[in-house]
Amino acid sequence: MRERLFGLGGLLVLALALAACGGGGGGSSGSGASGSGGGGDRPVAGGTFTVAMAADAITFDPLRLSDVYSRMVLTQVADPLFDVDKDGKVAGRLVESAENPEPNVHVWKLRKGIKFTDGSEFNAEAVKFNIDRHRNDDKSTRSQDVKDITSIDTPDATTVRITLKAPDRTFLTKFAGDAGLILNPKAVQALGDSVQRDLTNGGTRP
């Protein structure tokens, strides 16, 4: 979360700097305050925005994620299941609500209307696919976050039920980090090892 805020904060600072530089040397009679400026003042879709970082990203695959620069790029594309709010509390992001009906059972209801960038649906199977990637790969940098999961069930398209070996009060916080970043299963399967440097159709959109 801190890295995402850092990345977005950096973009904001750069955008403000560009806006300040592009303001021109007009006097006090400029039309900016009136909101009636020319068409050039209106934002348009498309184009390229280039941001420089101190080092290159190493990987875009959450399984191998371990450096801040890769995380800064990946979190601009992939959303996590949870976030940590300004008060330090875990809040849903792709998850709409989370319940703990039994000490070792967590039930998540997912937000509806979320799609991946290729138009396919974000759903419970996509969540299971991403978490299972960490569970099934001992070399995952987040394998410790999921080691106590004994089963993941998907009763319907918007429900994920996770059973743990034992109660864990910190369980949700793990999915506000790298273990909770969700990539499009179709993209991951199509890209194979290329997902290390390619996020084509991998991200989510409202």
Side-chain angles (χ1 to χ4, degrees):
M1 177 63 181
R2 291 168 58 189
E3 289 83 0
R4 181 183 301 108
L5 293 176
F6 176 79
L8 292 175
L11 294 178
L12 179 59
V13 170
L14 181 57
L16 291 174
L18 291 173
C21 292
S28 61
S29 60
S31 59
S34 67
S36 60
D41 295 332
R42 297 178 181 177
V44 295
T48 300
F49 186 59
T50 302
V51 178
M53 298 190 299
D56 191 15
I58 296 173
T59 179
F60 300 146
D61 188 350
L63 260 68
R64 307 288 177 250
L65 203 59
S66 62
D67 68 292
V68 65
Y69 303 106
S70 297
R71 190 173 291 110
M72 287 170 62
V73 174
L74 181 56
T75 53
Q76 307 307 313
V77 178
D79 286 307
L81 293 167
F82 296 90
D83 262 335
V84 177
D85 66 20
K86 60 182 179 62
D87 297 319
K89 296 180 179 180
V90 177
R93 178 114 169 216
L94 292 175
V95 171
E96 184 171 39
S97 64
E99 297 180 353
N100 195 188
E102 300 174 42
N104 65 324
V105 174
H106 293 263
V107 178
W108 300 339
K109 283 291 185 180
L110 307 180
R111 295 191 185 280
K112 297 178 180 179
I114 304 295
K115 294 182 182 293
F116 293 105
T117 50
D118 65 352
S120 58
E121 297 286 340
F122 162 72
N123 55 30
E125 288 298 331
V127 173
K128 184 178 187 302
F129 173 87
N130 279 268
I131 297 176
D132 277 346
R133 291 187 73 217
H134 294 289
R135 294 178 68 203
N136 297 330
D137 188 337
D138 292 338
K139 295 181 180 179
S140 166
T141 57
R142 300 268 62 89
S143 60
Q144 290 299 305
D145 291 341
V146 299
K147 65 181 178 62
D148 290 332
I149 295 176
T150 60
S151 66
I152 303 176
D153 300 306
T154 55
D156 57 58
T158 60
T159 305
V160 178
R161 180 184 175 90
I162 298 178
T163 304
L164 306 178
K165 293 178 183 177
D168 182 357
R169 295 173 62 184
T170 68
F171 185 64
L172 297 187
T173 64
K174 298 170 182 177
F175 296 92
D178 298 345
L181 290 171
I182 300 299
L183 294 181
N184 181 356
K186 291 182 180 178
V188 172
Q189 292 167 339
L191 291 167
D193 289 341
S194 296
V195 75
Q196 303 296 325
R197 302 293 296 177
D198 190 346
L199 289 172
T200 302
N201 291 327
T204 45
R205 63 179 172 82

